[in-house]
């Protein structure tokens, strides 16, 4: 690991031998840099420098950091009642948030997502979705439907069920494949031939409970984008073969692709949808699994054994739900989606010209996501360090250098990000 920098605080050097960091090879990684404070699109470091944040703390801080409305909602809820459990007791923020999410979730004449189950992380909301689908199938006469179809380049989380639905080729979870349920991981149905092949798979296997997809954009898989028609193909196939469509909107939801939900933009209503990441604007951990009425109806019974058997301790966390309500209100009060539209044109203008370079394989922009895929990227750690030196916080995934800034980022900060990306891309080897 790199040497401590001069201004490193004692808590970092004293804690580093004891903390186990996520997805890090701790022996060879670049030393983490101490953050002291945040505001807007900036991270203030212990040594006094400021970084413009290009990725919003794993895509969560969509309103920028320390938005006064979120801090105020947190403070007020904290003083009144941080949390009471959902078993036997009701807390106002969880009930209000459930009603609000049901109001804004995708709907059409055939389906309405209107029943909200709360967890505290994205992965767990995916587990809940998968368990709901399996139990729904069993309770509607299809106990043999216990498996899932998911897609190449997909990522759905790190717990066992969620892992089993990830693209195994990323090697993130290869170590655990022996203990994982086996799912069908196939190409997205983005051509008529692939749609037909997916239909044949569902028809022949007969054991598919649901089809899980990250709508319009596969985030952790490298900001891969597909057309709305691909989602409509998945909806058609699920309808034809009795599988539930599960839309994992943990990344794509809450404005990131330009609409409140990617499914809404695509005119598709899934049977189950998961949300997390930006749900509290990056302030507290919270996730939701939202089921359509016909799914919930399969659990509604006089028979106790037909209830949904899942229940996180912190389900419906009052503090988190209060912040999420304030976050959803900001989308309305501060016209977030309009800001995302403007951001999209600026990302497009800043990144698209890079597509002409020989070392660039592809440039992709949708909503508040801009990605430049290089043909090769050998020294990711070096690039990360140079970004810090340039005053920005950007972390490439594989060969993909991407920006997912807070929706509220100002022009000067955005230009700083775009210039830093352009400088790295231009200097990259072909
Ligand atoms: C991040 C992510 C998850 C997992 O969420 P965690 O909160 O990290 O468990 C699942 N699905 C998608 C699409 C994600 O982007």
């Amino acid at each position: 690991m790199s040497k401590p920098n001069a201004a490193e605080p004692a808590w970092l050097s004293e804690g580093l031998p004891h903390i186990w960091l996520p997805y890090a090879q701790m022996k060879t990684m670049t030393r983490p840099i101490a953050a002291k404070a945040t505001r807007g699109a900036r991270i203030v470091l212990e040594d006094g420098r400021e970084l413009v944040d290009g990725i919003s703390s794993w895509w969560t801080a969509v309103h920028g950091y320390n938005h006064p409305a979120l801090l105020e909602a947190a403070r007020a809820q904290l003083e009144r009642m941080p949390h009471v459990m959902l078993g036997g007791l009701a807390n106002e923020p969880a009930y209000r948030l459930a009603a609000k999410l049901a109001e804004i979730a995708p709907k059409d004449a055939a389906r309405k997502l209107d029943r909200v189950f709360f967890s505290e992380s994205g992965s767990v909301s995916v587990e809940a979705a998968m368990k709901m689908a399996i139990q729904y199938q069993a309770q509607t006469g299809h106990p043999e439907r216990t498996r899932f179809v998911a897609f190449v380049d997909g990522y759905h989380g790190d717990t066992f069920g969620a892992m089993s639905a990830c693209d195994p080729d990323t090697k993130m979870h290869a170590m655990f494949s022996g203990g994982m349920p086996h799912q069908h991981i196939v190409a997205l149905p983005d051509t008529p031939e692939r749609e037909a092949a997916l239909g044949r798979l569902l028809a022949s296997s007969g054991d598919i409970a649901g089809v899980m997809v990250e709508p319009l954009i596969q985030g952790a898989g490298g900001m891969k984008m597909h057309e709305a028609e691909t989602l409509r193909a998945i909806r058609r196939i699920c309808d034809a073969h009795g599988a539930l469509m599960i839309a994992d909107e943990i990344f794509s939801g809450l404005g990131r692709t330009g609409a409140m939900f990617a499914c809404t933009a695509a005119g598709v209503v899934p049977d189950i949808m998961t949300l997390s990441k930006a749900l509290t604007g990056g302030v507290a951990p919270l996730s939701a699994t939202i089921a359509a009425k016909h799914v919930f109806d399969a659990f509604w019974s006089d028979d106790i054994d037909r209830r949904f058997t899942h229940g996180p301790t912190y389900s419906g966390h009052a503090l988190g739900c209060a912040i999420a309500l304030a976050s959803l209100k900001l989308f309305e009060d501060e016209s977030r989606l309009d800001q995302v539209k403007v951001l999209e044109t600026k990302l497009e203008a800043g990144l698209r010209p890079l597509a002409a370079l020989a070392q660039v394989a592809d440039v992709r922009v949708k909503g508040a996501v801009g990605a430049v895929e290089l043909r090769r990227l050998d020294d990711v750690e070096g690039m990360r360090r140079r970004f810090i030196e340039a005053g920005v916080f950007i972390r490439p995934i594989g060969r993909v250098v991407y920006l997912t800034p807070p929706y509220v980022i100002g022009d000067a900060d955005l230009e700083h990000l775009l210039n830093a990306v352009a400088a790295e891309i231009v200097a990259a080897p072909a």
Side-chain angles (χ1 to χ4, degrees), residues 59 121-124 126 155-158 214 220 248 250-251 276-277:
W59 321 335
S121 79
S123 298
V124 176
V126 169
Y155 174 80
H156 300 286
D158 292 334
E214 288 168 89
D248 178 352
I250 290 170
F251 171 54
S276 187
K277 295 236 157 73

Side-chain angles (χ1 to χ4, degrees), residues 41-58:
R42 303 277 186 100
I43 300 165
V44 184
L45 303 182
E46 280 281 358
D47 64 13
R49 284 180 297 163
E50 286 192 18
L51 303 180
V52 179
D53 189 353
I55 54 179
S56 307
S57 282
W58 274 328

Side-chain angles (χ1 to χ4, degrees), residues 61-64 253-256 278 331 336 339-340 343 368 405-409:
V62 294
H63 309 292
L254 303 160
R256 188 53 73 180
F331 277 87
R336 277 296 171 267
Q339 282 174 320
V340 173
L343 192 51
Y407 306 160
V408 300
I409 190 167

Side-chain angles (χ1 to χ4, degrees), residues 31-254:
R31 214 171 167 86
I33 21 172
K36 181 169 64 181
T38 48
R39 56 170 171 267
R42 303 277 186 100
I43 300 165
V44 184
L45 303 182
E46 280 281 358
D47 64 13
R49 284 180 297 163
E50 286 192 18
L51 303 180
V52 179
D53 189 353
I55 54 179
S56 307
S57 282
W58 274 328
W59 321 335
T60 62
V62 294
H63 309 292
Y65 295 101
N66 304 51
H67 193 292
L70 301 188
L71 299 192
E72 185 43 43
R75 259 184 230 114
Q77 186 60 39
L78 204 50
E79 295 201 346
R80 198 160 48 240
M81 181 174 76
H83 180 56
V84 291
M85 60 188 265
L86 288 200
L89 294 170
N91 75 65
E92 181 176 347
Y95 281 64
R96 282 200 188 282
L97 181 59
K100 182 68 190 174
L101 288 172
E103 177 196 318
I104 63 174
K107 55 175 92 56
D108 62 16
R111 284 182 194 81
K112 184 176 183 322
L113 291 169
D114 72 352
R115 192 61 76 153
V116 183
F117 184 90
F118 289 115
S119 310
E120 63 299 81
S121 79
S123 298
V124 176
S125 71
V126 169
E127 297 290 322
M130 295 173 84
K131 286 176 66 176
M132 260 175 210
I134 291 173
Q135 199 173 338
Y136 163 86
Q137 295 289 2
Q139 291 177 183
T140 54
H142 295 285
E144 74 287 358
R145 291 182 171 266
T146 58
R147 297 200 184 280
F148 293 86
V149 169
F151 298 102
V152 172
D153 291 321
Y155 174 80
H156 300 286
D158 292 334
T159 51
F160 268 88
M163 272 199 299
S164 74
C166 296
D167 183 341
D169 282 349
T170 63
K171 307 273 191 305
M172 286 164 97
H173 302 132
M175 186 63 69
F176 309 103
S177 57
M180 268 194 265
H182 177 261
Q183 318 296 9
H184 302 270
I185 310 296
V186 301
L188 279 163
D190 51 6
T191 63
E193 296 72 35
R194 285 177 172 172
E195 181 179 350
L198 184 55
R200 285 194 300 275
L201 171 66
L202 267 82
S204 64
S205 55
D207 63 352
I208 304 302
V211 178
M212 182 141 59
V213 63
E214 288 168 89
L216 297 187
I217 176 162
Q218 296 170 300
M223 303 297 158
K224 303 263 168 69
M225 300 175 187
H226 55 262
E227 300 296 321
E229 177 51 24
T230 303
L231 290 182
R232 292 195 279 269
I234 294 171
R235 183 67 271 177
R236 285 194 291 275
I237 289 167
C238 287
D239 286 341
H241 298 280
L244 295 182
M245 178 175 178
I246 303 172
D248 178 352
E249 293 239 19
I250 290 170
F251 171 54
S252 61
L254 303 160

